[in-house]
Amino acid sequence: MSQKHLKEAFVSNLTGTSLLEISAGLALPPLCLLCRGLLLSLHYLHYGKPLSSRKYSLLLDFLVLVSPLLFSCTVLAPIIFFMPAIIAAFCAGIFSKIYSRRKQKTRVSFRQVVREFQEASLDPDSIPAITVFRVYINVLTSISILAVDFPQYPRRYAKAETYGTGVMDLGVGAFIFGNALVCPEVRQKSDVTQPKFSSLARQFFSVWPLIVLGVGRLLSVKSIEYHEHTSEYGVHWNFFFTLAVVRLAASLLLAVFPKNKSWLVAVTLAALYQLALNTTSLKTFILRGSNGRDTRDGFVNANREGLLSLFGYLAVYMASVQVGLCLLKCRNSVKGWMEAVCFSLLTSLVLFAFLHAAQAHADPVSRRMANLSYCIWVLAHCLTFFSCFVVTDLTLVFTKLLVKGSSVPCCWNAVKPSNTSKKPQREAVPVGREGELSQACLISAINKNQLLFFLLANVMTGTVNILIDTIHSKTAFTLCILHLYMFFNCLIMYILHAKKIVLKFW
């Protein structure tokens, strides 16, 4: 077999892993984020000033936020169920150290800090968990698209051929979920001042980079005969085209139907699509082609997975718009966000129950078809993942109340009530140090140029695969290559962020 066919076979005919193992892996990013925040608070408590060196800040962020994820999906994958417990224990040790040192320096009781935390308001201008969620999905995707070509990456984490729940299968849906959370229809405060179809017109203009990238990827892959998994999206289709079409179709639906009913549109789309899969020959067409022998003749036959899975991804997008609208409601109190987390986790439990029923009575999870079970699975895990980031943020807010003056980038600012006004207003008085948002932060750096980061990761992945025989790489070499690849991508984003360059011109 040629090298191209060897690499295609290496990522084909896989069946995925268990939901429990995916959940264990998704627990790591929030814990890594918590660990970074606690280390910064401990540094401030010890030295009396925040970490100001950009060099050390980048090193800390990479070693704590990125490197553990690289190890967890390669050499530490066999002990993935123990990893969250290990990092959580480390975080507990740091918190204990913070509390003991803080107790020596202040006479404020722990009970008083708890009361202050419960009464505190949160900066209503931003929801850091949304930013962190989207950045981490990007980071995890960037790691996986290269790591999957190395033997140290477990085959069960890669995309399943037809049915199954691989880590990379979830990543595709999570990308759709994250995009919907910040779509113009969610961020738009009022529909009265703008024409109903103005958002649709803006979306037509904003998706052209995705179409250009999709065409660019198609031409480059075909011209150099780069290995590709045809049953993933088809012969000519790719994920850039899926993102563009889903965004345009969603804007059209949201221009016709009320935004607060987007969940209803999502349920209708997913249910009708699943009904068509079960009662017509649509499923057979997707899996075996029009002649039942996996033909790829004609554009629709050649790209049937990419074209027909659009219905499922569109359902995920519409449901995610509803989630985004709920998150952006005026909820600036700690108590309000704790209630939101409880509601989100309860919704996730209900969705997992629906997932069990859908797999038993409709169809198993299939990313290839983006069927009903896949849509439910993506929403359930994404809600759980997002909730974990909110809990992490609330924990860091509490830590900043313990260590007055400490600053943790990409974390909520707590504010306290204003005593100068007779009306029961809130005054945004940060508990942490002013200027915190300008502190160097890898998450902020990637967030500013997310599409560029994803594009750079794709280009670097292709370059590594062309230059290196990834399938027969040794463990030490693999870890070295993956760390250099991720560090280079992060460094570029960090430099652009330091120079305040945002490469967005559409």
Side-chain angles (χ1 to χ4, degrees), residues 415-434:
V415 298
K416 54 189 179 183
S418 172
N419 298 321
T420 59
S421 176
K422 295 180 181 180
K423 296 181 181 180
Q425 296 177 338
R426 292 283 179 176
E427 183 185 42
V429 183
V431 172
R433 184 179 291 255
E434 289 186 6

Side-chain angles (χ1 to χ4, degrees), residues 253-254 257-258 261-270 314-315 318-319:
L253 289 173
L254 291 168
F257 299 99
K261 299 296 181 184
S262 58
W263 69 271
L264 193 56
V265 178
V267 171
T268 304
L269 265 174
L314 183 56
M318 295 299 291

